[in-house]
Amino acid sequence: MDFMTGSTFIPLFITGFLVVYVIAYFFLLRRWPAKLRAEASSCAISLIHGTPAAALACFSIFSDPERSFNSPNSQFQNLVLDYSSAYFIMDLLHYIVFHPEEYLFMAHHLATLFVFLTCRFIVHHGAFALLVLLFLAEVTSFLQNVWTLSGMRQSEVKLAAKLYGFLSPVFYSLYSVVRGIFGPYFVYRMCKFYISGAADEVIPKWAWISWLVVIVMAISVSILWISNLWAQFFTEMKKGDQKKER
């Protein structure tokens, strides 16, 4: 097992995310309200993870000449899986310590870790598909984190309120396209390939079936989440128009 031989970088990456979290919590965000510091620190490690993970995933995909739904994981693809696994472990610890009531987020992180770790350490194939989905998931990460951070302070800081108002439709639109169109289309291609049996010799059925269950559930929750945000956005915009008319 790679955990035992030391050929995984997960412990090193966890240490790095922990250092970023501690610096954000105790130094960079020390003047923030106590109730917001932990969540903002979570955003800090998400910023360190999201855009780099998207870029690394993209590079690892296009640098692999054998890329397909059943191709063996390249060393670089395994490195990206290590990086993202470390982030989800660190953020899971954040929720366990500060928000143990957030069962949905913790379940999401555990399910994601199951997919990444089984691909990385048991199946050794299929990283191509997971990293395409990682790219789609994290390409909006920077916008989402800036939107989240500005939303935390919008009631106290005018600039934050303006930034939040500006970013909301931009972020919602990009997120909707990525999670509502590209994500489902790629998952459809995954389903079609795996159901055909083309990967059965290298990826056990229990693996790809469980991966697809997790992925479909994650995308469904994402679509529901962004749909609720759009509903709130249009409701607030309608209320604003009504106030202007008065």
Side-chain angles (χ1 to χ4, degrees):
M1 181 72 74
D2 287 355
F3 278 117
M4 301 302 293
T5 62
S7 58
T8 176
F9 288 91
I10 290 178
L12 178 63
F13 288 142
I14 290 175
T15 302
F17 285 120
L18 177 60
V19 169
V20 171
Y21 190 98
V22 169
I23 290 174
Y25 189 89
F26 290 104
F27 298 99
L28 299 179
L29 303 169
R30 65 184 183 278
R31 295 183 180 178
W32 280 48
K35 62 181 181 180
L36 298 179
R37 283 170 65 190
E39 194 63 28
S41 299
S42 174
C43 286
I45 61 170
S46 182
L47 282 166
I48 295 299
H49 167 256
T51 302
L56 291 170
C58 189
F59 180 80
S60 72
I61 291 165
F62 287 105
S63 63
D64 181 13
E66 298 183 41
R67 57 182 179 273
S68 70
F69 289 111
N70 62 346
S71 59
N73 302 349
S74 68
Q75 290 187 348
F76 195 81
Q77 288 172 346
N78 282 336
L79 180 69
V80 181
L81 289 174
D82 282 356
Y83 185 66
S84 285
S85 296
Y87 161 73
F88 282 106
I89 291 170
M90 183 62 218
D91 206 43
L92 178 62
L93 292 174
H94 156 78
Y95 279 105
I96 291 173
V97 173
F98 293 102
H99 300 287
E101 74 284 357
E102 294 285 359
Y103 300 115
L104 183 60
F105 281 101
M106 290 191 287
H108 168 268
H109 283 22
L110 286 170
T112 302
L113 284 167
F114 167 80
V115 173
F116 283 174
L117 295 178
T118 52
C119 175
R120 169 73 169 89
F121 296 105
I122 299 176
V123 180
H124 305 292
H125 291 72
F128 160 74
L130 302 186
L131 293 179
V132 170
L133 291 170
L134 177 65
F135 170 80
L136 293 175
E138 299 299 342
V139 73
T140 57
S141 177
F142 179 80
L143 269 180
Q144 182 172 350
N145 281 297
V146 175
W147 170 80
T148 301
L149 289 168
S150 60
M152 289 181 188
R153 304 303 303 271
Q154 63 174 322
S155 61
E156 304 163 355
V157 182
K158 288 184 178 180
L159 180 60
K162 290 181 179 179
L163 183 60
Y164 182 79
F166 171 76
L167 287 179
S168 290
V170 177
F171 166 60
Y172 297 171
S173 298
L174 181 60
Y175 191 96
S176 297
V177 171
V178 173
R179 301 292 184 105
I181 299 175
F182 292 124
Y185 171 71
F186 188 78
V187 172
Y188 162 75
R189 290 184 57 190
M190 284 181 66
C191 289
K192 187 176 179 181
F193 184 88
Y194 289 136
I195 290 173
S196 72
D200 286 353
E201 291 186 4
V202 292
I203 302 179
K205 284 186 177 180
W206 67 263
W208 65 258
I209 289 174
S210 60
W211 294 353
L212 285 172
V213 168
V214 170
I215 292 164
V216 169
M217 289 180 64
I219 289 180
S220 299
V221 171
S222 295
I223 293 173
L224 179 61
W225 180 70
I226 198 64
S227 298
N228 288 334
L229 288 176
W230 273 120
Q232 293 174 16
F233 177 79
F234 287 118
T235 299
E236 291 172 3
M237 190 167 64
K238 186 176 180 181
K239 288 180 180 178
D241 291 340
Q242 290 174 345
K243 288 182 179 179
K244 288 179 182 179
E245 290 176 0
R246 294 174 185 175

